[in-house]
């Protein structure tokens, strides 16, 4: 086995793939590739230049969902993360897509990028955009997901799935941007987030990510100080 993941640790999509690998007990190497300005050789793996990509031997794949579903189908003896029935698989893929396509533009590109990444590069935070994401755009999504979760510990069935991982990966980035889901308004989602964040695979990644985030925030403070 020679699995290599390419991407940056603070990307929620890279984190999603890493958690999939960890939950499945698959060894891998992480080769850091920064988004937005990837090296020329990386475009041979993913011509779109986005992260993550993955190599399994001679096979090259891009897109976190494609990668995770490939791992599910190829390594059949590992922990199942897409359910055991067609109905469960459909629901998990829908909620994974929902997190990636509906939450990510707000939690990661709205809150995290503005509060952490842009200041670290010397660019001002668009706080108005952050507040719009938090107060106008995210609440309807959280209302829907609170209803989808219901009284279950996980989104689909009684065990962890890629739906839970994808959702948690986005909320981690929102937290790095200084915001937590309102536990009074969405108590089920807040409990779910705490529950999934506490599992061993997630805990194994968080300390190094938190150190990286702290460094970026400090860089941002210095970069934004007046001359």
């Amino acid at each position: 086995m020679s699995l290599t993941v390419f991407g940056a640790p603070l990307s929620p999509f890279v984190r999603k793939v890493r958690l999939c690998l960890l939950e499945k007990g698959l060894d891998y190497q992480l080769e850091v590739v920064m988004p937005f300005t990837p090296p020329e050789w990386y475009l041979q793996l993913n011509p779109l230049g986005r992260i993550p990509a993955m190599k399994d031997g001679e096979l090259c794949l891009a897109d976190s969902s494609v990668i995770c579903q490939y791992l599910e189908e190829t390594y059949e003896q590992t922990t199942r993360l897409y359910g055991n029935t067609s109905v469960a698989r459909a629901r998990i893929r829908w909620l994974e897509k929902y997190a990636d396509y509906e939450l990510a533009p707000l939690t990661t590109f709205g809150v995290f990028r503005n509060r952490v990444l842009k200041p670290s590069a010397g660019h001002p935070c668009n706080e108005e955009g952050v507040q719009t994401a938090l107060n106008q755009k995210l609440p309807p999504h959280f209302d829907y997901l609170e209803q989808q979760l219901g009284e279950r510990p996980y989104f689909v069935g009684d065990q962890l799935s890629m739906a839970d991982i994808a959702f948690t990966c986005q909320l981690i980035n929102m937290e790095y941007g200084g915001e937590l889901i309102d536990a009074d308004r969405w108590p089920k989602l807040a409990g779910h987030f705490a529950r999934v964040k506490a599992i061993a695979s997630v805990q194994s990644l968080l300390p190094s990510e938190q150190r990286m985030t702290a460094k970026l925030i400090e860089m941002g403070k210095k970069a934004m100080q007046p001359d």
Side-chain angles (χ1 to χ4, degrees):
M1 184 189 304
S2 56
L3 293 165
T4 303
V5 177
F6 302 87
L10 293 180
S11 160
F13 306 107
V14 173
R15 183 186 302 118
K16 186 174 77 167
V17 170
R18 296 179 76 190
L19 290 173
C20 179
L21 288 159
L22 287 168
E23 285 296 314
K24 288 180 170 295
L26 297 171
D27 293 332
Y28 73 97
Q29 292 181 323
L30 175 67
E31 185 165 337
V32 174
V33 172
M34 301 306 292
F36 311 119
T37 56
E40 188 66 28
W41 61 262
Y42 183 72
L43 299 179
Q44 300 301 312
L45 300 178
N46 183 356
L48 300 178
R50 299 171 186 160
I51 57 173
M54 189 190 76
K55 287 189 72 174
D56 186 1
E58 296 302 313
L59 176 67
C60 298
L61 293 172
D63 184 89
S64 62
S65 294
V66 170
I67 292 168
C68 291
Q69 291 177 32
Y70 163 79
L71 294 170
E72 179 87 350
E73 294 172 4
T74 302
Y75 297 96
E76 295 181 348
Q77 302 308 311
T78 62
T79 300
R80 311 306 288 168
L81 294 172
Y82 282 94
N84 296 311
T85 68
S86 60
V87 172
R89 284 191 291 273
R91 291 194 62 218
I92 290 166
R93 286 169 176 157
W94 160 244
L95 291 168
E96 179 187 7
K97 182 180 178 70
Y98 197 96
D100 289 354
Y101 285 82
E102 303 303 325
L103 296 188
L106 305 171
T107 55
T108 294
F109 298 102
V111 178
F112 175 72
R113 187 179 183 189
N114 269 298
R115 290 269 183 84
V116 179
L117 296 184
K118 289 176 69 174
S120 73
H123 303 298
C125 167
N126 177 5
E127 187 60 30
E128 182 179 354
V130 171
Q131 294 305 317
T132 297
L134 292 171
N135 298 315
Q136 297 179 30
K137 295 184 177 181
L138 275 169
H141 295 310
F142 289 157
D143 287 343
Y144 170 73
L145 291 168
E146 179 94 348
Q147 184 270 330
Q148 289 296 303
L149 181 62
E151 302 301 327
R152 295 182 299 273
Y154 301 106
F155 277 112
V156 181
D158 58 359
Q159 65 183 39
L160 184 77
S161 76
M162 288 308 302
D164 307 295
I165 290 173
F167 171 75
T168 300
C169 284
Q170 294 301 329
L171 260 63
I172 287 172
N173 276 56
M174 190 174 85
E175 184 176 23
Y176 289 161
E179 301 293 339
L180 287 170
I181 193 165
D182 187 338
D184 292 328
R185 185 168 179 180
W186 300 287
K188 297 170 186 175
L189 288 183
H192 174 276
F193 179 52
R195 186 180 309 114
V196 178
K197 205 171 78 163
I199 67 177
S201 60
V202 180
Q203 285 295 308
S204 72
L205 298 183
L206 290 184
S208 61
E209 289 189 10
Q210 290 163 349
R211 289 192 294 270
M212 291 178 204
T213 303
K215 288 180 181 179
L216 288 171
I217 291 172
E218 187 60 30
M219 287 171 57
K221 290 178 180 178
K222 291 178 180 180
M224 300 309 294
Q225 285 178 349
D227 295 331

